[in-house]
Amino acid sequence: MEPTKKRVFSGIQPTGNIHLGNYLGAVKNWAAKQDEKINYFCIVDLHSLTVPQDPADLRFQTRSLAAMLLACGIDPAKSTLFIQSHVRAHAEGCWLLNCITPLGWLQRMTQFKDKSAKQESVLTGLLDYPVLMAGDIIFYDANEVPVGEDQKQHVELARDIAQRFNSLYEQEFFVIPEPVIPEAGARVMGLDDPTVKMSKSLAHVRGHAIRLLDDPKEIERSFKRAVTDSGNEIVFSDDPEKAGVNNLLGIYKAITGKSEAEVLADFADARGYGDLKKRVAAVTIEALLPIQARYQQLMADPAELDRLLAIGAEQAAAVANPKVDQMKEIMGLVLPQQK
Ligand code: ATP
Ligand code: LTN
Protein backbone atom coordinates (compact mmCIF):
# COMPACT_ATOMS: atom_id res chain seq x y z
CA MET A 1 0.00 0.00 0.00
CA GLU A 2 1.22 3.49 -0.81
CA PRO A 3 2.15 5.40 2.37
CA THR A 4 -0.25 8.28 3.07
CA LYS A 5 1.05 11.55 1.73
CA LYS A 6 2.20 14.24 4.15
CA ARG A 7 0.18 17.46 4.26
CA VAL A 8 2.11 20.64 3.57
CA PHE A 9 1.12 24.25 4.26
CA SER A 10 3.13 27.38 3.57
CA GLY A 11 2.48 31.06 3.03
CA ILE A 12 4.02 34.16 1.55
CA GLN A 13 3.05 37.82 1.97
CA PRO A 14 1.94 39.90 -1.03
CA THR A 15 4.19 42.77 -0.04
CA GLY A 16 5.91 43.12 -3.42
CA ASN A 17 9.49 42.64 -4.48
CA ILE A 18 9.61 38.85 -4.20
CA HIS A 19 13.32 38.05 -4.16
CA LEU A 20 15.88 35.31 -4.47
CA GLY A 21 15.68 34.59 -0.70
CA ASN A 22 11.94 33.92 -0.93
CA TYR A 23 12.51 31.74 -3.99
CA LEU A 24 15.46 29.68 -2.74
CA GLY A 25 14.34 29.56 0.90
CA ALA A 26 10.73 28.68 0.19
CA VAL A 27 8.99 28.71 -3.20
CA LYS A 28 11.50 26.60 -5.16
CA ASN A 29 11.15 23.81 -2.60
CA TRP A 30 7.36 24.05 -2.56
CA ALA A 31 7.32 23.47 -6.31
CA ALA A 32 9.92 20.69 -6.23
CA LYS A 33 8.08 18.50 -3.72
CA GLN A 34 4.50 18.91 -5.05
CA ASP A 35 4.12 15.35 -6.32
CA GLU A 36 5.08 13.76 -3.02
CA LYS A 37 2.67 15.73 -0.81
CA ILE A 38 -0.80 17.19 -0.37
CA ASN A 39 -0.07 20.90 -0.71
CA TYR A 40 -1.68 24.16 0.40
CA PHE A 41 0.10 27.36 -0.63
CA CYS A 42 -1.38 30.59 0.59
CA ILE A 43 -0.95 34.24 -0.34
CA VAL A 44 -1.24 35.68 3.15
CA ASP A 45 -2.86 39.03 2.48
CA LEU A 46 -4.21 39.31 6.04
CA HIS A 47 -0.64 39.04 7.34
CA SER A 48 0.49 41.87 5.10
CA LEU A 49 -2.00 44.22 6.80
CA THR A 50 0.05 44.04 10.00
CA VAL A 51 2.05 46.94 8.59
CA PRO A 52 0.34 49.82 6.74
CA GLN A 53 -0.36 49.07 3.05
CA ASP A 54 -1.58 51.20 0.17
CA PRO A 55 -4.87 49.51 -0.93
CA ALA A 56 -4.31 49.78 -4.69
CA ASP A 57 -0.77 48.53 -4.31
CA LEU A 58 -1.84 45.60 -2.14
CA ARG A 59 -4.48 44.60 -4.71
CA PHE A 60 -1.90 44.61 -7.48
CA GLN A 61 0.75 42.79 -5.44
CA THR A 62 -1.68 40.04 -4.47
CA ARG A 63 -2.49 39.17 -8.07
CA SER A 64 1.10 39.65 -9.14
CA LEU A 65 2.30 37.22 -6.47
CA ALA A 66 -0.27 34.64 -7.57
CA ALA A 67 1.08 34.88 -11.13
CA MET A 68 4.64 34.65 -9.84
CA LEU A 69 3.97 31.52 -7.77
CA LEU A 70 2.39 29.83 -10.79
CA ALA A 71 5.36 30.97 -12.90
CA CYS A 72 7.74 29.42 -10.34
CA GLY A 73 6.07 26.07 -10.96
CA ILE A 74 3.25 25.83 -8.43
CA ASP A 75 0.82 23.65 -10.37
CA PRO A 76 -2.90 24.04 -9.56
CA ALA A 77 -3.43 20.42 -10.61
CA LYS A 78 -1.11 19.30 -7.80
CA SER A 79 -1.44 22.04 -5.18
CA THR A 80 -4.14 24.26 -3.74
CA LEU A 81 -3.06 27.87 -4.31
CA PHE A 82 -5.29 30.49 -2.71
CA ILE A 83 -5.65 33.90 -1.12
CA GLN A 84 -5.93 33.81 2.68
CA SER A 85 -8.77 36.34 2.97
CA HIS A 86 -10.90 34.24 0.58
CA VAL A 87 -11.30 31.60 3.28
CA ARG A 88 -13.23 32.82 6.34
CA ALA A 89 -11.64 30.24 8.67
CA HIS A 90 -8.35 32.17 8.90
CA ALA A 91 -9.58 35.40 10.51
CA GLU A 92 -12.34 33.68 12.45
CA GLY A 93 -10.20 30.85 13.78
CA CYS A 94 -7.45 33.30 14.71
CA TRP A 95 -9.81 34.87 17.26
CA LEU A 96 -10.48 31.47 18.81
CA LEU A 97 -6.75 30.77 19.04
CA ASN A 98 -6.13 34.24 20.51
CA CYS A 99 -8.31 33.21 23.40
CA ILE A 100 -6.03 30.31 24.35
CA THR A 101 -2.65 31.95 23.61
CA PRO A 102 -0.78 33.64 26.47
CA LEU A 103 0.40 37.18 25.65
CA GLY A 104 3.92 36.39 26.85
CA TRP A 105 4.38 33.83 24.06
CA LEU A 106 3.85 36.57 21.46
CA GLN A 107 5.95 39.21 23.20
CA ARG A 108 8.91 36.81 23.08
CA MET A 109 8.92 36.41 19.26
CA THR A 110 12.15 37.76 17.81
CA GLN A 111 10.49 38.97 14.60
CA PHE A 112 7.99 41.01 16.64
CA LYS A 113 10.78 42.47 18.76
CA ASP A 114 12.83 43.41 15.66
CA LYS A 115 9.95 44.82 13.63
CA SER A 116 8.30 46.70 16.50
CA ALA A 117 11.61 48.28 17.51
CA LYS A 118 11.81 49.83 14.03
CA GLN A 119 8.33 51.41 14.16
CA GLU A 120 6.97 54.36 16.07
CA SER A 121 3.45 53.00 16.30
CA VAL A 122 3.05 49.23 16.54
CA LEU A 123 -0.26 47.72 15.43
CA THR A 124 -1.97 45.02 17.49
CA GLY A 125 -2.00 42.83 14.36
CA LEU A 126 1.80 42.75 14.32
CA LEU A 127 1.88 41.19 17.78
CA ASP A 128 -0.87 38.77 16.79
CA TYR A 129 0.81 37.82 13.48
CA PRO A 130 2.10 34.42 14.69
CA VAL A 131 -1.36 33.37 15.96
CA LEU A 132 -2.86 34.04 12.53
CA MET A 133 0.03 32.03 11.08
CA ALA A 134 -0.52 29.17 13.53
CA GLY A 135 -4.14 28.97 12.41
CA ASP A 136 -3.11 28.88 8.74
CA ILE A 137 -1.07 25.80 9.43
CA ILE A 138 -3.17 23.85 11.91
CA PHE A 139 -6.59 24.39 10.28
CA TYR A 140 -5.26 22.24 7.39
CA ASP A 141 -3.85 19.47 9.62
CA ALA A 142 -0.45 20.24 8.05
CA ASN A 143 2.40 17.94 9.02
CA GLU A 144 5.11 20.00 7.32
CA VAL A 145 5.74 23.72 6.90
CA PRO A 146 8.50 24.49 4.37
CA VAL A 147 9.93 27.92 5.24
CA GLY A 148 13.19 29.84 5.44
CA GLU A 149 15.15 29.83 8.70
CA ASP A 150 13.59 33.14 9.85
CA GLN A 151 10.15 31.49 10.26
CA LYS A 152 11.27 28.56 12.42
CA GLN A 153 10.31 30.25 15.68
CA HIS A 154 6.81 31.00 14.37
CA VAL A 155 6.28 27.36 13.38
CA GLU A 156 7.45 26.31 16.83
CA LEU A 157 4.85 28.63 18.32
CA ALA A 158 2.21 27.02 16.09
CA ARG A 159 3.21 23.68 17.64
CA ASP A 160 2.84 25.13 21.14
CA ILE A 161 -0.60 26.58 20.36
CA ALA A 162 -1.80 23.30 18.82
CA GLN A 163 -0.54 21.36 21.83
CA ARG A 164 -2.18 23.77 24.24
CA PHE A 165 -5.55 23.42 22.52
CA ASN A 166 -5.25 19.62 22.49
CA SER A 167 -4.39 19.49 26.17
CA LEU A 168 -7.01 22.09 27.26
CA TYR A 169 -9.78 20.19 25.50
CA GLU A 170 -8.27 16.74 26.11
CA GLN A 171 -8.26 15.47 22.55
CA GLU A 172 -5.87 15.08 19.62
CA PHE A 173 -7.73 17.68 17.58
CA PHE A 174 -4.81 19.47 15.93
CA VAL A 175 -1.89 17.80 14.15
CA ILE A 176 1.44 19.06 15.51
CA PRO A 177 3.36 20.56 12.53
CA GLU A 178 7.09 20.45 11.84
CA PRO A 179 9.15 23.22 10.20
CA VAL A 180 11.03 22.03 7.10
CA ILE A 181 14.08 24.21 6.43
CA PRO A 182 16.01 23.64 3.18
CA GLU A 183 19.60 22.48 3.34
CA ALA A 184 20.67 25.20 0.87
CA GLY A 185 19.12 28.66 0.53
CA ALA A 186 17.52 28.74 4.00
CA ARG A 187 19.01 32.13 4.72
CA VAL A 188 20.03 34.20 1.72
CA MET A 189 21.75 37.35 2.91
CA GLY A 190 21.62 40.90 1.52
CA LEU A 191 24.15 41.48 -1.26
CA ASP A 192 24.87 44.96 0.08
CA ASP A 193 25.23 43.69 3.65
CA PRO A 194 25.77 39.95 4.14
CA THR A 195 25.07 40.25 7.87
CA VAL A 196 21.31 40.87 7.34
CA LYS A 197 18.85 38.54 5.60
CA MET A 198 17.71 39.48 2.12
CA SER A 199 14.32 41.01 2.78
CA LYS A 200 11.33 42.32 0.82
CA SER A 201 11.17 45.38 2.99
CA LEU A 202 14.73 46.33 1.96
CA ALA A 203 14.41 45.19 -1.66
CA HIS A 204 13.96 48.77 -2.88
CA VAL A 205 17.49 49.58 -1.64
CA ARG A 206 19.90 49.45 -4.61
CA GLY A 207 22.06 46.35 -4.58
CA HIS A 208 20.33 44.70 -1.60
CA ALA A 209 18.26 42.01 -3.28
CA ILE A 210 17.86 40.15 -6.53
CA ARG A 211 14.16 40.52 -7.28
CA LEU A 212 12.66 37.78 -9.40
CA LEU A 213 11.50 40.39 -11.93
CA ASP A 214 14.88 42.13 -12.28
CA ASP A 215 16.21 42.17 -15.84
CA PRO A 216 19.56 40.51 -16.62
CA LYS A 217 21.47 43.81 -16.62
CA GLU A 218 20.17 44.68 -13.14
CA ILE A 219 21.02 41.20 -11.86
CA GLU A 220 24.57 41.49 -13.19
CA ARG A 221 24.92 44.94 -11.68
CA SER A 222 23.66 43.87 -8.23
CA PHE A 223 26.01 40.88 -8.08
CA LYS A 224 28.91 43.00 -9.32
CA ARG A 225 28.40 45.41 -6.42
CA ALA A 226 27.97 42.62 -3.83
CA VAL A 227 30.03 43.18 -0.70
CA THR A 228 32.86 40.65 -0.24
CA ASP A 229 36.13 40.75 1.73
CA SER A 230 39.58 42.01 0.84
CA GLY A 231 40.97 38.49 0.28
CA ASN A 232 40.65 36.19 -2.73
CA GLU A 233 39.73 32.78 -1.33
CA ILE A 234 36.55 31.23 -2.75
CA VAL A 235 35.43 28.94 0.09
CA PHE A 236 32.34 28.14 2.14
CA SER A 237 33.01 29.58 5.58
CA ASP A 238 31.34 30.59 8.87
CA ASP A 239 33.89 33.36 9.37
CA PRO A 240 31.90 36.64 9.55
CA GLU A 241 34.63 38.24 7.42
CA LYS A 242 33.77 35.88 4.57
CA ALA A 243 29.98 36.21 4.86
CA GLY A 244 29.71 37.85 1.43
CA VAL A 245 31.58 35.09 -0.43
CA ASN A 246 29.76 32.43 1.57
CA ASN A 247 26.43 33.98 0.56
CA LEU A 248 27.35 34.03 -3.15
CA LEU A 249 28.43 30.39 -3.01
CA GLY A 250 25.24 29.51 -1.10
CA ILE A 251 23.13 31.13 -3.81
CA TYR A 252 25.01 29.23 -6.52
CA LYS A 253 24.60 25.97 -4.60
CA ALA A 254 20.86 26.45 -4.04
CA ILE A 255 20.21 27.41 -7.67
CA THR A 256 22.23 24.62 -9.25
CA GLY A 257 21.38 21.96 -6.67
CA LYS A 258 25.07 20.95 -6.58
CA SER A 259 27.00 19.71 -3.53
CA GLU A 260 29.60 21.93 -1.82
CA ALA A 261 32.42 19.93 -3.40
CA GLU A 262 30.90 20.30 -6.87
CA VAL A 263 30.42 24.02 -6.35
CA LEU A 264 34.03 24.49 -5.29
CA ALA A 265 35.19 22.44 -8.28
CA ASP A 266 33.22 24.80 -10.55
CA PHE A 267 35.20 27.72 -9.12
CA ALA A 268 38.61 26.07 -9.01
CA ASP A 269 39.72 28.00 -12.11
CA ALA A 270 38.01 31.29 -11.17
CA ARG A 271 40.18 34.38 -11.23
CA GLY A 272 39.12 36.21 -8.10
CA TYR A 273 35.79 37.48 -6.84
CA GLY A 274 34.99 39.21 -10.14
CA ASP A 275 34.71 35.81 -11.82
CA LEU A 276 32.73 34.39 -8.89
CA LYS A 277 30.17 37.20 -9.16
CA LYS A 278 29.86 36.83 -12.95
CA ARG A 279 29.20 33.11 -12.73
CA VAL A 280 26.67 33.42 -9.91
CA ALA A 281 24.90 36.12 -11.95
CA ALA A 282 24.88 33.85 -15.02
CA VAL A 283 23.20 30.87 -13.28
CA THR A 284 20.71 33.24 -11.62
CA ILE A 285 19.74 34.84 -14.94
CA GLU A 286 19.41 31.43 -16.57
CA ALA A 287 17.06 30.27 -13.77
CA LEU A 288 14.96 33.45 -13.74
CA LEU A 289 14.43 34.11 -17.47
CA PRO A 290 11.86 31.32 -18.03
CA ILE A 291 10.06 32.28 -14.79
CA GLN A 292 9.83 35.89 -15.96
CA ALA A 293 8.44 34.84 -19.35
CA ARG A 294 5.73 32.69 -17.72
CA TYR A 295 4.91 35.51 -15.30
CA GLN A 296 4.27 37.92 -18.19
CA GLN A 297 1.96 35.42 -19.89
CA LEU A 298 -0.04 34.86 -16.72
CA MET A 299 -0.38 38.57 -15.98
CA ALA A 300 -1.73 39.08 -19.49
CA ASP A 301 -4.75 36.86 -18.69
CA PRO A 302 -6.36 38.16 -15.47
CA ALA A 303 -9.58 36.19 -15.99
CA GLU A 304 -7.65 32.90 -15.98
CA LEU A 305 -5.75 33.97 -12.87
CA ASP A 306 -9.02 34.75 -11.07
CA ARG A 307 -10.48 31.42 -12.17
CA LEU A 308 -7.53 29.49 -10.73
CA LEU A 309 -7.66 31.45 -7.46
CA ALA A 310 -11.39 30.81 -7.10
CA ILE A 311 -10.83 27.06 -7.47
CA GLY A 312 -8.04 27.23 -4.89
CA ALA A 313 -10.22 29.14 -2.42
CA GLU A 314 -13.01 26.61 -2.76
CA GLN A 315 -10.67 23.68 -2.13
CA ALA A 316 -9.08 25.40 0.87
CA ALA A 317 -12.41 26.45 2.39
CA ALA A 318 -13.65 22.86 2.18
CA VAL A 319 -10.86 21.88 4.60
CA ALA A 320 -10.45 24.85 6.92
CA ASN A 321 -14.04 26.06 7.43
CA PRO A 322 -15.37 22.76 8.84
CA LYS A 323 -12.25 22.47 11.01
CA VAL A 324 -12.94 25.88 12.57
CA ASP A 325 -16.63 25.01 13.02
CA GLN A 326 -15.58 21.87 14.89
CA MET A 327 -13.25 23.97 16.99
CA LYS A 328 -16.11 26.31 17.90
CA GLU A 329 -18.18 23.36 19.03
CA ILE A 330 -15.37 21.96 21.12
CA MET A 331 -14.94 25.36 22.79
CA GLY A 332 -18.63 25.55 23.69
CA LEU A 333 -19.96 27.93 21.05
CA VAL A 334 -23.41 27.12 19.68
CA LEU A 335 -23.33 26.64 15.91
CA PRO A 336 -26.21 28.12 13.89
CA GLN A 337 -28.81 25.56 12.82
CA GLN A 338 -28.85 24.81 9.07
CA LYS A 339 -32.21 25.84 7.58
P1 ATP B 1 9.84 40.90 5.04
O1 ATP B 1 11.13 41.46 4.60
O2 ATP B 1 8.68 41.87 4.84
O3 ATP B 1 9.89 40.24 6.37
P2 ATP B 1 10.24 38.46 3.64
O4 ATP B 1 11.25 38.77 2.59
O5 ATP B 1 10.70 37.75 4.87
O6 ATP B 1 9.46 39.76 4.00
P3 ATP B 1 7.90 36.72 3.51
O7 ATP B 1 6.70 36.80 2.64
O8 ATP B 1 7.72 37.12 4.92
O9 ATP B 1 9.08 37.63 2.92
O10 ATP B 1 8.52 35.26 3.40
C1 ATP B 1 8.15 34.25 2.49
C2 ATP B 1 9.05 33.05 2.63
O11 ATP B 1 10.38 33.39 2.22
C3 ATP B 1 9.18 32.52 4.06
O12 ATP B 1 9.17 31.09 4.03
C4 ATP B 1 10.52 33.01 4.52
O13 ATP B 1 11.10 32.17 5.49
C5 ATP B 1 11.31 32.97 3.23
N1 ATP B 1 12.42 33.94 3.24
C6 ATP B 1 12.31 35.27 3.39
N2 ATP B 1 13.51 35.86 3.33
C7 ATP B 1 14.42 34.86 3.14
C8 ATP B 1 15.85 34.83 2.98
N3 ATP B 1 16.57 35.93 2.99
N4 ATP B 1 16.44 33.63 2.80
C9 ATP B 1 15.71 32.49 2.77
N5 ATP B 1 14.36 32.45 2.91
C10 ATP B 1 13.71 33.62 3.09
N1 LTN C 1 5.05 34.49 8.31
C1 LTN C 1 5.39 33.89 7.05
C2 LTN C 1 4.25 33.86 6.10
C3 LTN C 1 3.23 32.90 6.56
C4 LTN C 1 3.37 31.49 6.63
C5 LTN C 1 2.12 31.01 7.12
C6 LTN C 1 4.40 30.61 6.36
C7 LTN C 1 1.98 33.21 6.99
N2 LTN C 1 1.32 32.07 7.30
C8 LTN C 1 1.91 29.65 7.34
C9 LTN C 1 4.18 29.26 6.59
C10 LTN C 1 2.96 28.79 7.07
C11 LTN C 1 6.54 34.62 6.42
O1 LTN C 1 7.03 34.15 5.50
N3 LTN C 1 6.93 35.75 6.83
Side-chain angles (χ1 to χ4, degrees):
M1 209 178 73
E2 212 186 306
T4 44
K5 287 186 175 176
K6 288 270 169 62
R7 299 172 67 84
V8 169
F9 188 102
S10 200
I12 180 164
Q13 302 188 73
T15 41
N17 288 330
I18 175 168
H19 54 73
L20 210 51
N22 302 132
Y23 179 61
L24 298 176
V27 180
K28 183 171 189 253
N29 309 299
W30 303 354
K33 296 268 166 63
Q34 284 175 106
D35 284 321
E36 299 161 33
K37 322 265 176 176
I38 298 168
N39 313 282
Y40 295 90
F41 299 124
C42 184
I43 296 171
V44 292
D45 53 350
L46 299 174
H47 276 100
S48 67
L49 295 177
T50 57
V51 294
Q53 299 291 339
D54 172 68
D57 201 35
L58 179 58
R59 262 191 290 276
F60 173 78
Q61 293 302 347
T62 301
R63 314 180 88 259
S64 160
L65 181 58
M68 184 50 91
L69 294 175
L70 293 165
C72 287
I74 302 301
D75 179 351
K78 299 177 182 167
S79 298
T80 297
L81 173 68
F82 70 104
I83 295 176
Q84 190 184 31
S85 65
H86 288 184
V87 178
R88 67 167 170 84
H90 294 262
E92 211 175 297
C94 176
W95 177 258
L96 304 177
L97 294 179
N98 278 335
C99 296
I100 63 146
T101 303
L103 183 59
W105 288 9
L106 303 182
Q107 287 166 325
R108 273 204 300 276
M109 292 291 108
T110 50
Q111 193 173 81
F112 173 71
K113 288 196 273 185
D114 288 353
K115 288 200 174 177
S116 59
K118 287 184 203 144
Q119 292 167 24
E120 247 173 57
S121 152
V122 177
L123 302 174
T124 308
L126 190 66
L127 177 70
D128 203 28
Y129 179 114
V131 180
L132 184 63
M133 175 164 164
D136 295 345
I137 299 167
I138 66 182
F139 301 154
Y140 293 82
D141 292 336
N143 311 96
E144 297 182 357
V145 186
V147 282
E149 180 69 39
D150 62 314
Q151 293 302 313
K152 192 164 172 234
Q153 194 185 35
H154 287 160
V155 181
E156 279 159 4
L157 185 83
R159 291 170 60 87
D160 290 343
I161 293 176
Q163 262 151 357
R164 188 172 168 96
F165 186 94
N166 289 354
S167 81
L168 276 173
Y169 295 99
E170 296 176 332
Q171 51 186 297
E172 296 302 305
F173 181 67
F174 286 125
V175 170
I176 311 301
E178 299 274 354
V180 175
I181 316 279
E183 196 249 319
R187 198 168 164 79
V188 177
M189 309 307 279
L191 298 181
D192 57 339
D193 178 357
T195 66
V196 302
K197 78 155 190 146
M198 188 177 283
S199 157
K200 283 205 200 101
S201 23
L202 291 174
H204 61 281
V205 175
R206 264 184 79 194
H208 170 76
I210 301 294
R211 293 162 299 193
L212 299 195
L213 289 173
D214 282 348
D215 64 39
K217 281 267 156 309
E218 253 171 300
I219 296 175
E220 274 166 6
R221 224 178 296 135
S222 299
F223 276 116
K224 202 167 171 193
R225 300 157 105 240
V227 169
T228 47
D229 53 274
S230 55
N232 58 8
E233 245 196 320
I234 301 178
V235 286
F236 287 98
S237 161
D238 295 336
D239 179 355
E241 265 286 294
K242 298 213 63 85
V245 168
N246 195 58
N247 190 35
L248 292 172
L249 288 173
I251 291 172
Y252 185 92
K253 178 169 185 270
I255 288 183
T256 59
K258 292 184 176 180
S259 69
E260 284 198 4
E262 287 167 334
V263 171
L264 294 179
D266 281 359
F267 289 102
D269 65 341
R271 286 180 313 248
Y273 294 161
D275 255 7
L276 166 67
K277 291 173 176 181
K278 268 194 207 136
R279 293 185 198 179
V280 180
V283 293
T284 305
I285 292 167
E286 195 186 316
L288 295 188
L289 278 181
I291 293 176
Q292 295 177 349
R294 278 200 297 275
Y295 169 85
Q296 298 303 348
Q297 280 169 357
L298 288 153
M299 285 300 275
D301 191 353
E304 175 62 4
L305 201 57
D306 285 344
R307 190 185 71 83
L308 294 174
L309 289 169
I311 295 173
E314 201 180 319
Q315 289 169 350
V319 178
N321 290 347
K323 185 83 180 176
V324 166
D325 286 345
Q326 257 179 299
M327 211 182 143
K328 287 181 176 171
E329 259 190 316
I330 293 172
M331 295 176 88
L333 302 181
V334 176
L335 295 186
Q337 291 305 308
Q338 303 289 352
K339 275 207 219 105

